[in-house]
């Protein structure tokens, strides 16, 4: 089975590909720009995107909407993570947290699958923002996100290690379990 992953982010595709390979599902990247609305939750952003795309492209597909939520910043950047990554970047986030003891943060991911109907799967991982960048793997905020219980950032882990604990890994797990049940 082949599955289209609609995203502009090759790092996400790499993670999904590694995840689904063992299940015999081939994931391929489809780049279609879709509107990411301003909303309070990742679910709303993902649902709007999926319904917009479903009117324009044929067949089944999925997308992923994720965000980094920093406790000391009341959840910012959250649903604005893509914009903040492009503008403030990692350095901007480190500056905002400069001198703060409370560096708790979490990632959330919503995977939205369309097969004529909408199916949502989500995941979350808690951790903290490090004071400096560590590692060169992964993408986005990975060099400064250290999951709870680990001494390495996501950027210091292999894709397989990150997938086992990450927000996206959990959402993909729920998605793949659903697929196993529903594609019989
Ligand atoms: P899409 O085309 O799939 O939307 P995107 O990179 O804009 O790609 P999101 O809006 O879901 O994706 O992501 C919001 C931001 O959070 C973006 O800057 C990502 O780089 C970052 N991000 C998402 N997942 C991440 C992860 O697993 N590790 C580090 N940063 C992540």
């Amino acid at each position: 089975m082949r599955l289209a992953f609609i995203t502009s982010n090759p790092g996400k595709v790499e993670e999904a590909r590694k995840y689904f390979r063992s299940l015999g599902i081939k994931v391929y990247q489809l780049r279609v720009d879709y509107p990411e609305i301003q909303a309070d939750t990742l679910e709303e952003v993902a649902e709007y995107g999926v319904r917009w795309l479903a009117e324009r492209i044929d067949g089944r597909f999925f997308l992923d909407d994720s965000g980094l939520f920093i406790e000391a910043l009341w959840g910012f950047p959250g649903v604005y993570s893509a914009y903040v990554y492009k503008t403030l970047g990692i350095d901007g986030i480190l500056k905002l947290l400069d001198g703060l003891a409370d560096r708790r943060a979490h990632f959330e991911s919503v995977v939205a699958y369309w097969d004529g109907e909408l199916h949502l799967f989500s995941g979350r991982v808690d951790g903290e923002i490090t004071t400096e960048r560590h590692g060169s793997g992964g993408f986005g905020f990975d060099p400064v996100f250290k999951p709870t219980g680990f001494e390495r950032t996501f950027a210091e882990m292999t894709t397989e290690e990150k997938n086992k604990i990450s927000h996206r890994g959990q959402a993909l797990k729920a998605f793949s379990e659903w697929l196993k049940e529903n594609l019989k």
Side-chain angles (χ1 to χ4, degrees):
M1 175 181 176
R2 277 163 55 80
L3 266 184
F5 187 174
I6 301 195
T7 176
S8 63
N9 186 329
K12 289 184 180 179
V13 181
E14 161 88 2
E15 290 178 10
R17 239 181 222 147
K18 284 252 163 77
Y19 189 87
F20 279 115
R21 184 168 298 151
S22 54
L23 307 170
I25 296 173
K26 282 206 171 119
V27 171
Y28 65 98
Q29 180 173 9
L30 200 56
R31 283 175 187 267
V32 186
D33 274 337
Y34 60 89
E36 290 196 16
I37 55 160
Q38 281 199 1
D40 292 337
T41 63
L42 297 174
E43 281 82 1
E44 287 169 83
V45 180
E47 173 162 2
Y48 186 89
V50 165
R51 294 198 186 280
W52 188 92
L53 286 162
E55 285 174 14
R56 289 161 179 86
I57 59 175
D58 291 329
R60 38 190 184 195
F61 61 85
F62 71 100
L63 56 79
D64 162 300
D65 197 45
S66 302
L68 174 67
F69 297 76
I70 299 174
E71 316 301 332
L73 304 179
W74 299 278
F76 181 82
V79 291
Y80 307 110
S81 295
Y83 178 72
V84 167
Y85 182 74
K86 277 183 224 136
T87 52
L88 300 182
I90 286 185
D91 290 340
I93 291 291
L94 290 179
K95 243 183 218 156
L96 283 176
L97 296 185
D98 195 24
L100 282 189
D102 180 5
R103 307 188 67 91
R104 287 172 302 142
H106 64 270
F107 270 117
E108 284 179 35
S109 188
V110 171
V111 166
Y113 175 57
W114 179 260
D115 62 358
E117 282 175 51
L118 174 71
H119 309 276
L120 295 177
F121 308 93
S122 58
R124 167 181 172 144
V125 61
D126 290 284
E128 63 183 63
I129 305 295
T130 53
T131 51
E132 302 171 352
R133 294 167 187 257
H134 296 281
S136 55
F139 65 91
F141 300 104
D142 280 345
V144 291
F145 185 84
K146 187 162 72 70
T148 304
F150 293 81
E151 285 313 313
R152 287 170 296 151
T153 65
F154 273 159
E156 295 176 292
M157 296 183 180
T158 62
T159 304
E160 287 85 353
E161 284 173 316
K162 181 181 168 189
N163 269 349
K164 269 190 203 141
I165 48 178
S166 77
H167 48 312
R168 183 163 307 99
Q170 292 174 37
L172 290 174
K173 183 166 191 268
F175 178 25
S176 65
E177 280 166 3
W178 182 90
L179 278 176
K180 265 186 245 159
E181 282 301 308
N182 290 276
L183 287 180
K184 278 173 192 162

